[in-house]
Amino acid sequence: MSRPPFDSRIPLCQLAAGATGRVCALTGDAHFCQRVREMGFGESAYVTKVSGSTTILCQVNGTRIALSHAAASSILVEQLGNLGPQKG
Amino acid sequence: MALPPHVSTGPSAAPARQPVYALVGNPNCGKSTLFNALTGLKQKVGNYPGVTVEKKIGTTYSQHGQPITVIDLPGTYSLAARSPDEAVTRDVLLGRRADTAQPDRILCIVDATNLERNLYLVHQILDLGRPVILVVNMMDLAAQAGLTLRLARLEHELGLPVIACEAVHGRGLIELKLAMSRPDLPLSRHAWDVPAAIAPAVAELQASLTSNDRKSPLIARAEALLLLTDQDALRVAGSTPLCPRTVEILESWKKRWAAEGTDWAGTLVASRYEAIGHLATAVIQTSGTAGPTTSDRIDAVVTHQLWGWLVLGGVMTLLFLSIFTLAETPMNWIDDQAAALSTWVKHAMADGDLRDLITAGVIGGVGGVVKFLPQILILYFFIGLLENTGYMARAAFIMDRLMSRVGLNGKSFIPLLSSYACAIPGIMATRTIEEPKDRLVTILVAPLMSCSARLPVYLLMIAALVPGDRVPLATKVVIMILMYALGTFGAFGFAWLFKRTLLRGAPPLMIMELPPYRLPRLRDVALHMIERAWIFLRRAGTVILGISIVLWFLSAYPKAPAGVTDQQQLAQSFAGRAGHALEPIIKPLGFDWQIGIGLISSFAAREVFVSTMGVVFNAEAKDDDTTPLRQAMLNAKWPDGRSLFTPLTCFSLMIYYVFAMQCMSTIAVVKRETNGWEWPVFQTFYMTGTAWILSFIVFQAGRALGF
């Protein structure tokens, strides 16, 4: 996977509602990263943000997932716009 | 496909004893529904010793009528456990729990609409080398979402029985039972290559776990992979510490990888997902992209910034209104039956201590508690319905915004909501909270939520507080809401305080799946209600019966000389003496020794206060048995002639009950949950201390203001 330029990576909490991004890095707590990956939310997964600013609601592989703000800010995504591939 | 060295093709030996199946799967994949469909009422709910994780065991029957044991294990995404209930799943599957035999076979249930993620856990379970049956549930929802699953291909690839199922409609159960009845099940043929960088470490750890930790080779391989998947080896090892040699090997590999910059845990997950990805490509066919689903459309409203709160508020209002209105008729009926039984006993038996024990002690005490069963059933009906439809996760999502302000996350909402019924299931529900500090804070504040056992105390106090027989319902409701609000704000306030002082921690990293909305399955809700009602009745029949008898004895003995009044008898009884001893401490709150007896007896369980007041004041009511308790209480006076139950005293008493830790069962559960006496003792002191201080302030300030 080619690493995107640093400035295109934003935390999931900053992704606009309705926009799709690809997860490029997980930062922070190791246990949390592990669980996020195990839930299929790891690097290269596509995520669509549904709504939320304090608590984030997003869609990954057709599943709705809620994340606390702190959790969402440790997931870095590369924004793909509204036309990204979606399942479900 | 080549077979890995740890898997043999031979059929597993048919177990001579009753076969034991473990049922495992991700949360929200329909596991409980399948368990209920398989076992029906043949379920036993207990606890895994040492943790308050519920142990559900049921019996189903093979096609030949042979009994089969099914253990319902807590839902998990991975065997690398992050919370106590997930640890139970891991430990039972690995055969680490002494209290539960290692299951012979594993029933893996997966959600057809999200096969890829669900297969991750299956993939880990296949490493255990046990015969597995794969149940692909929610086939109907997958079809609706435009997914076609080639299950024959999946069966071929994995080499194990794959059953298509719609547990909600009972479809696929016959096929499943047929598969479960097979005397031999093949072992999985699915192999995956451990990444080259990790493989030598797995082999070395496996060898050490086999020779030094005396694990069987298959389990040793699964354990080795787990040790490397979870960053915290000690957590994986659980209660049985690993041999130092194994730890040494693990540490040396970790050091080596850290120096090389290898992310071993991430690599393992990625490699499993790669294998699953190949499988998914072969099995799943997507026909076009489906538009927004019904769930998405409902979520647009229910999780909306504004509408979400309104819906949640509406649901909560409906819940509490139902508890107060619908339960009234059955409660009065139970009351009447208890009174009728009591009258019958009085006529049938000769006057004496035994008759008093049965009428005042047993029937009065237990009846006064059992009448809350309708309210408890309604509360569990709602909780069951909210969980069954998928709304509970949305409520947790909405509440997360509020909870995050006090340092907790939305996952604490379900335990706190359950605590409105009873703190015990509430505390048990904290097992899904991963962060130990957040879990502890939730446990510490959960009993502040006004549980149903406080309801009788509030109702009695409100009846005594608002004079007149025809009290407007609105006044009662407002006072009631005030008490519930006080407890709720108290819980939030203390959570905020604890998160900033004693249990300081990073902001919670919450990740929670919101399952698709489903029509509630009333059978599951009903089973849940029956289970809870039974636990409640068992408690009423044991603990509360015992307390009622002891209390009656304490208030009836030692006997005063013949001819004294009932009040003098009570004053010199054991209970009276204890109440008198307590009076100096509680007098500043407006309570006398008779209320003191109630406080002491209801330390066992709050609702006992009402039955105690019944015993205490009926004793004063001379021959007039029909005097309602409320009237008897209103007639009660201090020795100087002042009324005892002034509105201010009633208020002070209610505030005392909002905050005081008056429940031995809760203390016992907290002790078990926190593995020691330290936290339950702290909790009892902080809660009862707050109760005393607030009641003191209210009573003294009220008096100063002339109330």
Side-chain angles (χ1 to χ4, degrees):
Chain A
M1 186 178 75
S2 65
R3 173 166 278 217
F6 182 73
D7 56 353
S8 72
R9 302 189 338 171
I10 52 166
L12 180 57
C13 53
Q14 286 176 22
L15 196 70
T20 297
R22 190 170 60 178
V23 179
C24 31
L26 301 173
T27 59
D29 184 72
H31 289 118
F32 173 75
C33 295
Q34 184 72 14
R35 178 47 54 93
V36 169
R37 286 192 188 109
E38 289 181 328
M39 286 178 79
F41 203 153
E43 285 85 348
S44 81
Y46 291 101
V47 48
T48 306
K49 182 154 150 191
V50 179
S51 65
S53 49
T54 32
T55 310
I56 315 291
L57 185 59
C58 57
Q59 185 118 0
V60 182
N61 282 332
T63 311
R64 294 236 152 171
I65 288 177
L67 294 148
S68 64
H69 191 267
S73 57
S74 65
I75 297 175
L76 298 181
V77 296
E78 172 197 9
Q79 183 157 351
L80 300 172
N82 293 323
L83 301 167
Q86 288 180 43
K87 278 187 196 175
Chain B
M1 185 178 294
L3 290 175
H6 68 286
V7 169
S8 73
T9 44
S12 61
R17 63 187 167 89
Q18 191 167 320
V20 178
Y21 275 88
L23 179 58
V24 279
N26 281 189
N28 308 312
C29 67
K31 197 169 57 65
S32 301
T33 306
L34 181 67
F35 181 70
N36 288 339
L38 279 176
T39 62
L41 283 170
K42 293 226 168 257
Q43 297 185 6
K44 238 172 71 185
V45 182
N47 259 306
Y48 290 96
V51 281
T52 38
V53 176
E54 268 186 7
K55 180 178 187 173
K56 277 184 143 184
I57 295 185
T59 305
T60 190
Y61 295 91
S62 73
Q63 60 173 143
H64 307 298
Q66 302 296 322
I68 298 171
T69 305
V70 185
I71 308 177
D72 185 17
L73 292 174
T76 182
Y77 294 107
S78 161
L79 289 186
R82 286 191 78 213
S83 61
D85 60 335
E86 294 179 354
V88 164
T89 301
R90 175 196 70 202
D91 293 343
V92 170
L93 288 175
L94 289 172
R96 285 173 178 172
R97 287 203 72 98
D99 51 72
T100 313
Q102 190 173 11
D104 306 305
R105 294 163 168 196
I106 301 167
L107 213 55
C108 253
I109 175 165
V110 293
D111 173 358
T113 63
N114 199 343
L115 197 60
E116 210 166 331
R117 195 204 59 210
N118 279 252
L119 281 176
Y120 181 82
L121 178 68
V122 177
H123 206 261
Q124 284 184 320
I125 283 169
L126 292 182
D127 284 340
L128 299 172
R130 299 252 146 195
V132 173
I133 298 176
L134 187 65
V135 180
V136 183
N137 193 24
M138 305 189 201
M139 289 298 285
D140 49 338
L141 296 181
Q144 277 170 29
L147 299 172
T148 311
L149 303 182
R150 297 157 70 190
L151 295 188
R153 183 70 190 267
L154 188 63
E155 191 165 274
H156 174 77
E157 293 284 337
L158 294 177
L160 46 83
V162 175
I163 315 281
C165 183
E166 289 166 30
V168 174
H169 305 119
R171 285 187 201 128
L173 284 179
I174 294 172
E175 291 83 349
L176 175 60
K177 282 197 181 178
L178 278 174
M180 288 170 81
S181 309
R182 282 169 63 173
D184 58 332
L185 280 175
L187 287 173
S188 158
R189 286 198 292 108
H190 186 67
W192 68 293
D193 299 319
V194 176
I198 316 282
V202 174
E204 212 178 316
L205 279 170
Q206 185 185 0
S208 175
L209 282 163
T210 315
S211 56
N212 299 322
D213 294 277
R214 302 184 180 282
K215 308 265 181 187
S216 75
L218 275 173
I219 293 293
R221 183 173 182 273
E223 290 242 16
L225 286 164
L226 263 184
L227 283 173
L228 295 168
T229 309
D230 198 305
Q231 303 279 353
D232 188 348
L234 286 176
R235 249 160 74 151
V236 172
S239 49
T240 32
L242 286 174
C243 159
R245 175 71 193 129
T246 312
V247 178
E248 205 178 291
I249 295 171
L250 182 66
E251 291 310 317
S252 80
W253 274 103
K254 282 187 177 177
K255 259 187 216 144
R256 197 165 137 185
W257 286 323
E260 289 169 2
T262 307
D263 174 9
W264 68 92
T267 311
L268 271 174
V269 179
S271 134
R272 280 193 198 274
Y273 263 109
E274 202 179 316
I276 293 165
H278 290 307
L279 203 60
T281 318
V283 171
I284 307 171
Q285 287 179 317
T286 316
S287 53
T289 39
T293 61
T294 317
S295 272
D296 294 346
R297 281 192 286 269
I298 300 173
D299 266 344
V301 178
V302 165
T303 61
H304 187 267
Q305 291 268 10
L306 174 67
W307 304 126
W309 281 110
L310 289 178
V311 172
L312 183 63
V315 169
M316 292 292 112
T317 311
L318 188 68
L319 194 159
F320 284 108
L321 269 182
S322 310
I323 289 174
F324 292 130
T325 53
L326 295 181
E328 208 178 316
T329 315
M331 283 174 80
N332 288 339
W333 184 83
I334 295 174
D335 237 4
D336 292 345
Q337 297 309 307
L341 186 64
S342 194
T343 314
W344 180 79
V345 172
K346 272 184 187 163
H347 285 122
M349 284 179 73
D351 195 6
D353 275 1
L354 184 63
R355 193 183 82 170
D356 276 1
L357 167 68
I358 293 173
T359 54
V362 176
I363 301 175
V366 175
V369 175
V370 167
K371 75 170 193 182
F372 294 99
L373 185 64
Q375 287 186 331
I376 288 176
L377 283 175
I378 292 174
L379 203 125
Y380 279 111
F381 173 74
F382 268 89
I383 289 181
L385 211 58
L386 296 183
E387 278 183 345
N388 232 254
T389 49
Y391 181 73
M392 198 62 121
R394 272 73 183 184
F397 167 74
I398 294 167
M399 286 300 287
D400 186 75
R401 294 176 207 157
L402 191 71
M403 309 282 263
S404 60
R405 300 214 176 142
V406 297
L408 290 177
N409 68 50
K411 282 192 181 175
S412 297
F413 172 69
I414 295 167
L416 294 182
L417 180 70
S418 305
S419 298
Y420 280 125
C422 176
I424 294 161
I427 288 167
M428 284 172 62
T430 62
R431 62 183 193 239
T432 56
I433 301 172
E434 294 99 351
E435 181 54 50
K437 280 180 181 171
D438 288 356
R439 212 169 130 243
L440 193 51
V441 170
T442 312
I443 291 171
L444 286 178
V445 302
L448 286 171
M449 308 303 273
S450 282
C451 62
S452 55
R454 285 174 175 97
L455 207 58
V457 182
Y458 295 164
L459 288 173
L460 181 68
M461 285 302 117
I462 290 172
L465 180 70
V466 196
D469 283 334
R470 284 251 167 249
V471 187
L473 184 68
T475 320
K476 283 187 184 175
V477 171
V478 166
I479 298 174
M480 191 69 89
I481 290 175
L482 199 69
M483 290 304 132
Y484 274 85
L486 202 60
T488 311
F489 283 115
F492 280 81
F494 274 108
W496 179 85
L497 186 70
F498 292 148
K499 280 292 282 186
R500 259 153 204 81
T501 52
L502 278 176
L503 297 158
R504 222 177 242 282
L509 295 167
M510 181 199 63
I511 178 160
M512 181 176 63
E513 188 184 343
L514 304 186
Y517 289 99
R518 277 163 211 155
L519 279 177
R521 198 170 141 76
L522 291 177
R523 186 184 142 91
D524 289 350
V525 177
L527 276 173
H528 184 70
M529 282 166 70
I530 292 171
E531 194 182 291
R532 295 293 140 185
W534 179 237
I535 291 172
F536 175 77
L537 287 178
R538 215 164 45 194
R539 190 167 152 230
T542 52
V543 180
I544 293 172
L545 175 67
I547 293 163
S548 301
I549 292 173
V550 168
L551 198 79
W552 174 84
F553 173 80
L554 292 180
S555 58
Y557 291 90
K559 284 279 180 207
V564 300
T565 64
D566 289 343
Q567 178 155 23
Q568 282 166 326
Q569 157 63 33
L570 185 64
Q572 65 93 53
S573 69
F574 293 121
R577 288 175 203 180
H580 276 298
L582 195 66
E583 196 176 88
I585 305 169
I586 56 175
K587 208 170 175 181
L589 315 182
F591 311 154
D592 76 339
W593 62 274
Q594 302 178 92
I595 298 178
I597 299 174
L599 296 186
I600 294 169
S601 63
S602 67
F603 187 72
R606 294 176 180 93
E607 63 270 35
V608 174
F609 180 79
V610 177
S611 51
T612 308
M613 289 295 104
V615 174
V616 167
F617 289 105
N618 275 342
E620 283 184 357
K622 307 250 164 80
D623 299 328
D624 191 2
D625 286 331
T626 54
T627 308
L629 175 58
R630 179 171 68 87
Q631 206 51 49
M633 286 169 62
L634 288 177
N635 291 339
K637 303 243 183 308
W638 285 95
D640 61 10
R642 282 181 297 126
S643 272
L644 175 58
F645 285 95
T646 62
L648 190 59
T649 306
C650 292
F651 219 67
S652 166
L653 196 56
M654 274 199 277
I655 288 172
Y656 185 85
Y657 270 93
V658 168
F659 290 96
M661 171 56 116
Q662 299 269 110
C663 183
M664 283 201 308
S665 315
T666 304
I667 295 175
V669 168
V670 173
K671 189 235 155 197
R672 200 169 52 181
E673 188 67 19
T674 58
N675 285 325
W677 280 109
E678 190 184 333
W679 289 110
V681 167
F682 167 75
Q683 189 177 30
T684 308
F685 275 97
Y686 105 77
M687 285 178 63
T688 307
T690 309
W692 193 91
I693 292 168
L694 289 180
S695 290
F696 178 82
I697 293 171
V698 166
F699 186 73
Q700 297 301 334
R703 280 243 298 221
L705 292 170
F707 285 103

